Amino acid sequence: LAKNIDVCYLDGCHEYDYVISDLTNCSEICQKAVILDDYIPSPLSSRGDVISWGWWNADVVRAVGDFLEANPKSFREVYWLEATPICVLVK
C-alpha cells in the first residue's frame, strides 16, 4: 500500500465492521489525519436531531471508540467538531 497520503476522508458504509476496516486501512496509509463523516455521539448531541441522527451514527461512534481503544498509538489527538457530523483523528 502507498503511504504517501496525507489525509483520508471516510464517508462509506456506516456499519460497525466496515468502519473498523476503513479505519484500519486508513491508519496504515495516512501520514497526517483521518476525517470521518457521520460522527454524532448521540441523539442528544448538538446536531443530533431527528433528521441527522440514526443507527448509523451509533455504529460510527462505537467503531471509532473501539478502534482507538485497541490501537491507542495510532492517533495522538481526536476531535469531534461539535455541532457537525465530523470527527478528526490526527497522527
Side-chain angles (χ1 to χ4, degrees):
L1 291 173
K3 294 192 178 212
N4 59 350
I5 296 171
D6 286 336
V7 177
C8 284
Y9 180 81
L10 293 178
D11 186 18
C13 184
H14 302 97
E15 293 176 26
Y16 178 88
D17 291 336
Y18 288 96
V19 178
I20 290 286
S21 177
D22 287 345
L23 283 170
T24 300
N25 292 330
C26 285
S27 71
E28 291 175 5
I29 64 171
C30 283
Q31 298 298 307
K32 297 183 180 179
V34 174
I35 301 169
L36 290 101
D37 195 15
D38 296 312
Y39 186 100
I40 300 174
S42 81
L44 303 177
S45 302
S46 53
R47 179 76 194 245
D49 53 47
V50 174
I51 295 169
S52 302
W53 197 87
W55 66 265
W56 54 90
N57 302 116
D59 269 8
V60 171
V61 171
R62 187 169 59 97
V64 169
D66 289 353
F67 178 85
L68 293 172
E69 186 175 320
N71 304 280
K73 295 185 180 187
S74 290
F75 298 96
R76 62 181 168 85
E77 297 175 20
V78 178
Y79 301 98
W80 170 48
L81 303 181
E82 193 171 347
T84 76
I86 302 296
C87 179
V88 180
L89 293 81
V90 180
K91 289 259 182 157

